[in-house]
Amino acid sequence: MRMFKYVCKRIGLLIVTFFVIVTICFSLIKLLENEVPLGMQAVVELARREALGYNKPIIEQYGIFLRNVITKWEWGYSWHINYMMPAQETITPRLPSTLLVNAYSIIFCIPVGIALGIWAAIKKNKITDHIISTSVMLFVSVPSFVYAFLMQYTLGFRLGFFPVIVSSLHDAGGSWFTRTMLHSMILPVLALSFGSIAGLARYTRAELTEALTSEYMLLARSKGLTRSRAISTHAMKNAMVPVLPYIFGIVLSVFSGSIIIEAIFAINGVGQLYIRSIHLRDYDVFVVTSAFYTIITLASYILVDLSYGFLDPRIRMGER
């Protein structure tokens, strides 16, 4: 019952936080200079802008915006990127590419990061540990877009191993899972993964090293368990309790980093849409993409909190 109350409380806080962030994004983008474009459907466009309250104060515009979102799930219109298209529909065709490159990065970085962390902890203070720890400090200190530019220039442009930009859906034969599409995504996936692999390896090494020097490991060895059996049975189980929630943080870092990576590799995803909406001052598209990333962030934070209670029975959410 306490767990249920805790979940309901967190969901309520999520809704409030989401409302505050959307309010800030809406207000800030509206404070920029509002230039009304006169496109091919100028009369219809101006009529829709008037219906959305573009000629009224920001507070009234926001009231109309909230009413449309709650009653009709209408987030406004795109005036530049996809002329006269509903703002929420501009995200839909770009979701697959964003989700795909992020999913590949997460699937790649999690097992590699954990494996390197375990290896470094087991080989503590040996040459293997020093090499991994030094590499981790190097990779964790450099932003993902730096790796993107380096690999794009060396592996893509100079050596020609990979394309410098991700193939479009048309060039890939109309499927996201063709060999051409997967081959073109290797560079952005690697650029997104390096920092996450380094962070996860460092965190896993620290937790497992602490577990290996704990009293229960000494007790397990004194009972006759081999070192490998004690590690797999006791140390790994306890070390993974804080590591697994950390993985949800990896998801956040990958999604946030993909905003820049999509622009570098010309991926027609939500991240590139987000940047273009700022440059072109496509107000409603900016708000809906901000809402998209806000939902992912807040949901990940809730999953992190709840995972502690499910992974470790000693932790009871909602207890005082």
Side-chain angles (χ1 to χ4, degrees):
M1 188 63 182
R2 289 191 179 96
M3 191 66 171
F4 177 75
K5 291 182 179 178
Y6 177 80
V7 173
C8 292
K9 180 181 178 181
R10 290 308 308 268
I11 292 176
L13 291 175
L14 181 148
I15 294 173
V16 173
T17 306
F18 176 78
F19 172 79
V20 172
I21 293 176
V22 170
T23 302
I24 294 174
C25 291
F26 184 91
S27 301
L28 290 178
I29 196 68
K30 289 291 183 177
L31 290 176
L32 298 177
E33 183 181 355
N34 187 1
E35 298 179 358
V36 180
L38 298 176
M40 297 175 61
Q41 306 178 44
V43 176
V44 178
E45 179 182 345
L46 292 174
R48 288 185 179 179
R49 282 179 173 265
E50 185 175 356
L52 294 173
Y54 274 53
N55 57 344
K56 297 178 181 179
I58 293 179
I59 187 66
E60 294 186 35
Q61 292 185 43
Y62 188 59
I64 296 173
F65 170 77
L66 285 182
R67 183 188 63 196
N68 291 338
V69 171
I70 295 173
T71 59
K72 299 182 289 185
W73 195 248
E74 183 179 291
W75 292 77
Y77 294 89
S78 172
W79 312 112
H80 297 278
I81 299 174
N82 293 103
Y83 186 61
M84 299 292 285
M85 177 184 288
Q88 66 273 17
E89 293 182 12
T90 61
I91 288 183
T92 306
R94 291 172 170 82
L95 269 178
S97 55
T98 293
L99 296 178
L100 200 61
V101 69
N102 282 278
Y104 284 150
S105 301
I106 293 168
I107 292 172
F108 174 69
C109 73
I110 290 175
V112 174
I114 292 178
L116 289 176
I118 294 173
W119 194 13
I122 294 175
K123 301 293 184 180
K124 183 181 177 183
N125 295 330
K126 295 183 179 180
I127 184 64
T128 303
D129 179 33
H130 294 317
I131 293 175
I132 294 177
S133 299
T134 303
S135 301
V136 161
M137 292 304 298
L138 174 64
F139 282 104
V140 82
S141 304
V142 180
S144 60
F145 63 85
V146 176
Y147 300 125
F149 285 127
L150 289 175
M151 290 189 297
Q152 193 178 48
Y153 177 74
T154 57
L155 299 180
F157 177 70
R158 299 293 297 180
L159 300 177
F161 292 158
F162 306 99
V164 294
I165 61 174
V166 173
S167 301
S168 65
L169 190 60
H170 178 267
D171 295 335
S175 174
W176 296 104
F177 303 100
T178 61
R179 184 176 181 179
T180 302
M181 179 64 76
L182 297 179
H183 182 253
S184 67
M185 281 193 172
I186 291 179
L187 290 184
V189 167
L190 290 177
L192 279 174
S193 301
F194 283 150
S196 299
I197 289 173
L200 186 56
R202 182 177 63 174
Y203 196 75
T204 303
R205 180 193 178 279
E207 295 295 332
L208 186 56
T209 299
E210 183 178 354
L212 290 175
T213 57
S214 61
E215 294 181 356
Y216 61 80
M217 280 294 293
L218 180 61
L219 178 62
R221 293 299 304 277
S222 65
K223 288 183 177 181
L225 290 179
T226 62
R227 186 170 185 266
S228 59
R229 183 64 183 274
I231 291 174
S232 61
T233 305
H234 298 285
M236 286 295 298
K237 183 182 295 184
N238 288 276
M240 287 300 107
V241 171
V243 170
L244 290 179
Y246 180 82
I247 292 175
F248 291 110
I250 296 293
V251 175
L252 288 180
S253 65
V254 169
F255 265 94
S256 60
S258 69
I259 296 177
I260 304 298
I261 297 300
E262 287 181 19
I264 295 174
F265 289 97
I267 301 174
N268 190 26
V270 181
Q272 190 183 59
L273 178 68
Y274 187 65
I275 295 177
R276 289 188 64 196
S277 67
I278 298 174
H279 287 317
L280 298 176
R281 297 181 185 176
D282 211 335
Y283 306 107
D284 297 333
V285 176
F286 169 78
V287 174
V288 75
T289 50
S290 299
F292 169 77
Y293 282 108
T294 301
I295 283 292
I296 292 176
T297 302
L298 296 177
S300 298
Y301 282 136
I302 287 184
L303 290 175
V304 169
D305 289 344
L306 296 181
S307 63
Y308 282 108
F310 287 112
L311 293 173
D312 192 347
R314 296 170 297 178
I315 302 174
R316 298 298 181 186
M317 293 300 177
E319 297 282 0
R320 293 187 177 181

